[in-house]
Amino acid sequence: MGSEALIVFFLAGVILVAGANFISNLISHKSDNPQKREPYESGMPTIGPTWVQFKVGFYLFAILFLIFDVEIAFLVPWAVVYQEVGTVALVEIIIFLFILGLGLAYAWKKGALKWK
Amino acid sequence: METATINNNFKSEEYFINMGPQHPATHGVLRLLLTIDGEIIKKVEPDLGYIHRSIEKMCERDSYQQIVHLTDRMDYLSSHINNEAVCLAVENALELEVPERVKVIRTIIDELTRISSHTLWWGVMGMDVGALTSYFYGFRDREMINDIFEETCGARLTMNYNIPGGLMQDIHPNFVKRVKEFIAHFKTKLPEYDKLLTGNIIFQKRTKGVGVLSKEDAIAYGASGPVARGSGYSCDVRKHHPYSALDKVSFNEALHTEGDSYARYLVRIQEMWESVSIIEQLIDNIPEGDFKVATNAVIKLPKGEYYQKVETARGELGVYIISTGGKNPHRMKFRSPGLSNLSLLNHITVGGKIGDLVATMATIDIVVPDIDR
Amino acid sequence: MYSSLIITNNIHSWVLSLMPAAVTGITEMMMIAMIYLTVFAVLGLFLVLMERKVAAWFQLRIGPNRVGFFGMFQTIADALKLLSKELTGTDKADKFLYNLAPYFLIISSLMALAVFPFSENLQAFDINIGIFFLIAISSIGVIGVLLGGWSSNNKFALIGAMRSGVQTISYELSVGLSLLTMILLTGSLQLSEIIEVQKSGWLIVQGHIPAVIAFMIYMISGTAETNRAPFDMVEAESELGAGFHTEYSGMKFAYFFLAEFINMFIIAAIGTTVFFGGWLSPFGITESIPWLGVFWFLLKAFALVFLMMWFRWTFPRLRVDQLLTLEWKYLLPINLFNIVLMAIIVWLNFTIQF
């Protein structure tokens, strides 16, 4: 079908969500009042600011994810041509994964993998 | 009504969450104010009083037979044992000797109530840590007990079967047969409980080492029941101050020393086994006799102070009566097990994570009406 | 997608007779998109009902059985109910992001659903980087979750969204790596080629030991990636509110709900395609009837979905830090080791082929 299928499916998704929102707006019954517009916290009013700061631990995991995702992106072409290339590919991947494993071990040792 | 003291000097990463009266994990209408830093809990403050019904004040204007009705609603999962506490206090004050039959039946129904409360606890514990199916299994077994109670006592939960002097009515002819069927059925189900939760590695990782309570702290905070026995403090009232037919049966007290949530869990499972054994010892030889002793229509306790303690499923319940000779008590106070157990919560959860808080609260097993009365 | 099935040839010639050739392409694409939307909706309906019935079966009770025979129309009734609920929002919520979040999830699920081969030649979008495309699309769903939590102006939702985001991205690594382990056997990322290779034995059999390990890692990571139990701490009802979709009500909540089930199906479908032979019948029994492939594909996919539901109703939840430890300290090293193992086995030609 070619890559125009992507655009068609994208539009189909947008139509689905927008359409359902529209229908819901039409047939739902509206009774808005100020109490309904407050954020939910087990029935009591909130105390303190709501937009709290992100913890640093999330950034650490995100960076680690980035590194390993790039590694996966490098592994994909290797996996596809592995059977044709033969022994060289095997040796090469052992070296590659060993270096990456060292990186993971370093992060582990330094405590970056602890969720504080 | 702002009863919470908000720390105005908490650092900028800490924030303040209200695990409020409407919450599925707090086993009743309990409000917990949590100060959290990321995932670590810094402070837990329970806020009580949402279900206060002035039971103790109402006792001052009711007669002793009417007071028994009120105690059902305190810890509704061990309602029979609560009733028995008041009846025993009154009978000891009047120096009434109840027939053997009454004592044995009271103990059997006590232990059935304890099993019923613990199966509900087990179901809810599984649900709190995430194994949603255990809830249904616990309730399935509890239904059988409720049916037995309905046939004999007339109600499933707030049984009100005891009166000062004995029982309200004799047991139903089917009672013995049904209890035996239940025991046979339940003994095949307890190993199932073990397979589903106790042996599960995820469950063990959620509860081992979580909410550790040392024995000295348990004694200092006045903990009782399975909470204290999980830390190695031997405090079972049934062993140390036996009442009703408990001196005629032999059973072991469930004790574990680690003090973490897993130990408390194991204590309750073992208590279920012990209750089954007590019922088995008693069910075949219920002595014949009267089911009550006659008392005056209007009971007046002689002047003085009387105390009676019993072991409910939550811990030690104490009934303290001050009587000035009239037909209502001058003051009646209930020493509730839940209140002392809840006071530990801040101590054992600080420094842990939010997920641990839920698991710990499930093993402390409070029933909030018991605390608020 | 110009399939060899007679029915699509007939439709193709009928449309061609109605309008010029240039427009035919677009019309056909729109028809296919409509069909897929219907498949999407029906699948969602069916999966929700299956979940409720399976849950009831595990909990010793009967599930929905009032609306329609066996409760078949229960989800339609639920969908109608959700459509007619009021669309509330909070005062200080960021309106644009709040409304944008469901789009990401639904669009990524729909696009992922487009590449699966339901039978021989019955595939909407046979892209030559199939598996890689799927991994990439599933990453877009994370954005929807984070936006939803952040824009709700609710502490609970925010915590839930952050935790869910970290969980999903961590487990995506394991999903990608375990799928890569199987690509070593096939030598191609295109989904229809992967199934071609499996005509001489399903990949899980061809790769024996490393394939079984890869499958187990894949099931664990797949369940974790879609935030299903036992990894659903972020939306645990007994914890803080309902996670990142606390402030969404009515139809908007339905999008998150639907997307979760469709994602579960997508994980199961990828699993059947890569590990269990997709639409191929076991031992080639019904090879002569190609359209029966749809039946085999759905059967295998629903078996894996049942497995995921079984996990949910049996195991307790893992705490967030235990979850992340599981991934980074256990699954990832095992995965890396497994790739090397599979590479050695392929190099030595020890694979089992029929």
Side-chain angles (χ1 to χ4, degrees):
Chain A
M1 202 169 164
S3 48
E4 54 276 7
L6 264 184
I7 304 189
V8 172
F9 274 86
F10 179 82
L11 285 175
V14 170
I15 291 175
L16 175 66
V17 180
N21 271 341
F22 179 65
I23 298 180
S24 184
N25 250 323
L26 280 182
I27 67 181
S28 68
H29 134 93
K30 301 199 186 3
S31 70
D32 225 351
N33 54 33
Q35 272 72 39
K36 275 197 195 169
R37 302 214 131 238
E38 285 175 22
Y40 174 73
E41 198 167 324
S42 292
M44 310 290 293
T46 58
I47 305 170
T50 344
W51 266 312
V52 293
Q53 201 180 17
F54 260 67
K55 305 253 333 139
V56 147
F58 293 106
Y59 285 122
L60 278 176
F61 276 104
I63 293 182
L64 277 172
F65 161 74
L66 196 61
I67 298 174
F68 282 91
D69 216 25
V70 171
E71 172 211 342
I72 295 184
F74 283 139
L75 279 179
V76 172
W78 167 80
V80 173
V81 298
Y82 179 75
Q83 287 184 344
E84 293 155 15
V85 173
T87 320
V88 177
L90 178 64
V91 174
E92 189 260 326
I93 202 59
I94 293 183
I95 302 177
F96 183 66
L97 287 180
F98 177 67
I99 299 180
L100 262 159
L102 279 182
L104 180 64
Y106 177 73
W108 190 331
K109 195 103 202 308
K110 283 289 180 186
L113 300 177
K114 269 207 222 300
W115 175 262
K116 269 183 283 287
Chain B
M1 166 192 95
E2 203 53 64
T3 57
T5 54
I6 307 170
N7 281 336
N8 284 323
N9 50 355
F10 59 78
K11 301 191 286 285
S12 57
E13 306 98 51
E14 287 180 357
Y15 55 103
F16 188 69
I17 279 194
N18 189 28
M19 216 155 136
Q22 283 177 0
H23 200 278
T26 55
H27 294 236
V29 271
L30 175 66
R31 178 183 179 207
L32 290 177
L33 293 101
L34 309 170
T35 313
I36 309 186
D37 175 12
E39 189 88 9
I40 311 283
I41 299 179
K42 293 285 193 219
K43 185 165 175 205
V44 175
E45 238 182 276
D47 185 15
L48 309 168
Y50 283 91
I51 195 168
H52 176 72
R53 297 151 292 171
S54 324
I55 290 188
E56 291 178 0
K57 185 68 181 172
M58 285 200 282
C59 291
E60 291 176 17
R61 59 129 214 248
D62 282 348
S63 68
Y64 289 95
Q65 290 98 328
Q66 289 170 316
I67 289 176
V68 175
H69 289 256
L70 290 175
T71 55
D72 274 332
R73 278 108 180 126
M74 282 181 351
D75 174 6
Y76 46 76
L77 291 176
S78 350
S79 43
H80 186 267
I81 312 181
N82 297 350
N83 294 346
E84 190 179 347
V86 173
C87 294
L88 284 174
V90 170
E91 286 158 14
N92 289 340
L94 293 175
E95 286 170 18
L96 269 183
E97 191 60 41
V98 289
E100 282 303 310
R101 183 178 175 82
V102 170
K103 288 189 183 173
V104 169
I105 294 178
R106 274 181 179 169
T107 309
I108 294 177
I109 301 192
D110 268 358
E111 296 307 315
L112 279 175
T113 315
R114 195 183 312 276
I115 295 180
S116 153
S117 166
H118 283 338
T119 47
L120 188 149
W121 159 81
W122 182 82
V124 172
M125 167 116 206
M127 195 173 71
D128 275 346
V129 295
L132 306 157
T133 318
S134 66
Y135 183 74
F136 291 91
Y137 293 173
F139 267 72
R140 167 199 60 189
D141 298 322
R142 200 160 170 262
E143 280 302 302
M144 292 181 75
I145 304 185
N146 283 347
D147 287 340
I148 298 177
F149 284 157
E150 192 185 14
E151 201 174 36
T152 304
C153 317
R156 287 155 56 99
L157 190 68
T158 51
M159 285 159 299
N160 192 23
Y161 189 47
N162 283 319
I163 54 171
L167 306 169
M168 219 181 252
Q169 283 183 24
D170 208 349
I171 51 173
H172 195 274
N174 279 343
F175 180 73
V176 175
K177 181 170 72 100
R178 285 183 82 161
V179 171
K180 284 198 189 158
E181 274 169 14
F182 169 72
I183 297 285
H185 165 88
F186 193 59
K187 276 168 64 157
T188 63
K189 292 299 171 221
L190 268 179
E192 224 178 74
Y193 290 7
D194 277 338
K195 271 195 278 194
L196 187 57
L197 277 190
T198 318
N200 190 323
I201 179 90
I202 302 179
F203 180 76
Q204 287 182 358
K205 282 190 109 52
R206 280 296 291 270
T207 49
K208 278 196 181 163
V210 159
V212 180
L213 177 71
S214 64
K215 184 170 167 186
E216 296 75 32
D217 281 335
I219 303 179
Y221 277 91
S224 58
V227 174
R229 289 199 279 282
S231 304
Y233 171 39
S234 154
C235 61
D236 197 338
V237 177
R238 297 176 290 166
K239 275 278 194 211
H240 296 288
H241 306 268
Y243 50 91
S244 291
L246 280 168
D247 38 8
K248 291 209 289 257
V249 293
S250 70
F251 66 100
N252 302 323
E253 190 178 348
L255 267 185
H256 283 262
T257 48
E258 301 95 27
D260 58 4
S261 295
Y262 193 61
R264 294 192 277 269
Y265 172 89
L266 288 176
V267 162
R268 289 200 178 92
I269 300 277
Q270 198 179 342
E271 273 188 10
M272 282 201 265
W273 280 111
E274 298 298 331
S275 295
V276 167
S277 137
I278 294 179
I279 298 181
E280 274 180 335
Q281 289 173 37
L282 289 178
I283 191 68
D284 281 319
N285 348 320
I286 303 184
E288 299 298 327
D290 251 343
F291 61 87
K292 68 174 174 187
V293 160
T295 58
N296 301 334
V298 174
I299 300 182
K300 292 188 187 177
L301 291 190
K303 194 159 159 176
E305 301 176 352
Y306 310 99
Y307 188 76
Q308 171 68 35
K309 51 182 177 181
V310 295
E311 176 85 10
T312 64
R314 305 265 135 0
E316 175 187 322
L317 172 75
V319 173
Y320 178 53
I321 309 180
I322 303 181
S323 169
T324 48
K327 59 180 160 78
N328 316 98
H330 173 74
R331 169 83 170 107
M332 190 138 179
K333 158 114 181 99
F334 296 98
R335 185 256 180 222
S336 121
L339 187 58
S340 319
N341 288 348
L342 186 62
S343 61
L344 301 165
L345 193 64
N346 188 36
H347 178 74
I348 60 180
T349 51
V350 161
K353 304 186 170 56
I354 304 181
D356 294 340
L357 174 70
V358 178
T360 312
M361 276 206 51
T363 51
I364 294 188
D365 192 22
I366 51 169
V367 169
V368 185
D370 182 36
I371 303 178
D372 286 348
R373 268 162 274 136
Chain C
M1 146 139 191
Y2 303 98
S3 134
S4 54
L5 294 182
I6 302 184
I7 192 170
T8 50
N9 276 339
N10 282 344
I11 297 183
H12 180 67
S13 32
W14 173 68
V15 174
L16 206 55
S17 65
L18 287 180
M19 48 188 82
V23 190
T24 328
I26 300 186
T27 323
E28 280 191 343
M29 281 197 279
M30 286 193 341
M31 276 171 30
I32 295 175
M34 287 301 128
I35 295 178
Y36 265 88
L37 272 181
T38 329
V39 168
F40 187 78
V42 169
L43 254 184
L45 251 54
F46 186 71
L47 278 171
V48 172
L49 179 67
M50 181 178 166
E51 162 98 37
R52 288 175 71 164
K53 279 293 206 187
V54 164
W57 188 46
F58 280 124
Q59 292 165 356
L60 308 170
R61 55 189 178 92
I62 322 175
N65 64 348
R66 296 268 170 216
V67 190
F69 184 67
F70 247 6
M72 268 193 299
F73 303 123
Q74 176 70 45
T75 328
I76 301 183
D78 281 342
L80 277 175
K81 177 201 79 157
L82 281 171
L83 266 180
S84 59
K85 290 280 187 194
E86 189 178 334
L87 298 174
T88 61
T90 47
D91 258 338
K92 301 183 240 153
D94 188 337
K95 271 250 163 295
F96 176 61
L97 290 178
Y98 180 76
N99 285 323
L100 187 64
Y103 283 91
F104 280 100
L105 281 172
I106 297 282
I107 291 176
S108 77
S109 310
L110 197 58
M111 290 213 278
L113 207 54
V115 300
F116 285 115
F118 285 94
S119 179
E120 184 151 15
N121 284 334
L122 195 66
Q123 191 177 5
F125 185 30
D126 198 8
I127 195 175
N128 58 351
I129 51 161
I131 294 282
F132 196 47
F133 175 76
L134 282 169
I135 300 178
I137 284 288
S138 62
S139 311
I140 297 186
V142 187
I143 304 183
V145 167
L146 286 172
L147 279 183
W150 176 256
S151 65
S152 301
N153 190 37
N154 184 337
K155 267 187 284 209
F156 291 135
L158 186 56
I159 303 175
M162 294 196 292
R163 285 148 84 171
S164 170
V166 168
Q167 182 184 329
T168 310
I169 60 176
S170 303
Y171 280 93
E172 251 174 53
L173 294 174
S174 287
V175 168
L177 280 174
S178 53
L179 289 177
L180 271 182
T181 322
M182 307 311 286
I183 301 295
L184 280 173
L185 287 169
T186 64
S188 157
L189 294 168
Q190 198 168 356
L191 283 169
S192 44
E193 296 250 337
I194 295 180
I195 299 195
E196 279 297 312
V197 169
Q198 294 188 63
K199 284 196 170 147
S200 52
W202 292 351
L203 279 186
I204 199 171
V205 175
Q206 279 192 25
H208 50 94
I209 302 174
V212 171
I213 299 180
F215 176 65
M216 293 200 294
I217 297 180
Y218 175 74
M219 276 318 283
I220 298 177
S221 322
T223 326
E225 199 182 323
T226 54
N227 285 334
R228 294 268 310 169
F231 305 102
D232 66 348
M233 195 65 154
V234 286
E235 51 180 54
E237 306 100 24
S238 50
E239 311 274 331
L240 314 172
F244 60 89
H245 45 67
T246 312
E247 291 291 342
Y248 284 85
S249 80
M251 202 58 207
K252 298 191 179 127
F253 168 72
Y255 297 134
F256 288 109
F257 191 60
L258 190 64
E260 178 179 320
F261 280 97
I262 301 286
N263 275 337
M264 192 169 55
F265 179 76
I266 291 175
I267 299 278
I270 302 178
T272 50
T273 315
V274 172
F275 291 97
F276 289 111
W279 50 264
L280 293 171
S281 46
F283 306 113
I285 347 179
T286 59
E287 210 165 309
S288 42
I289 318 172
W291 53 265
L292 215 49
V294 179
F295 162 71
W296 286 114
F297 181 81
L298 288 178
L299 183 70
K300 293 179 206 173
F302 281 133
L304 285 183
V305 167
F306 176 75
L307 187 65
M308 290 167 81
M309 290 180 181
W310 198 349
F311 286 163
R312 175 177 189 184
W313 298 108
T314 318
F315 293 132
R317 277 184 206 109
L318 270 78
R319 249 188 357 227
V320 176
D321 63 317
Q322 289 171 337
L323 212 143
L324 291 170
T325 319
L326 175 68
E327 158 65 16
W328 290 96
K329 296 192 186 175
Y330 290 92
L331 288 185
L332 194 58
I334 297 180
N335 236 334
L336 293 176
F337 171 70
N338 201 30
I339 292 189
V340 175
L341 186 62
M342 178 69 103
I344 296 179
I345 289 192
V346 172
W347 178 63
L348 292 174
N349 262 325
F350 273 170
T351 56
I352 303 177
Q353 304 206 351
F354 292 108

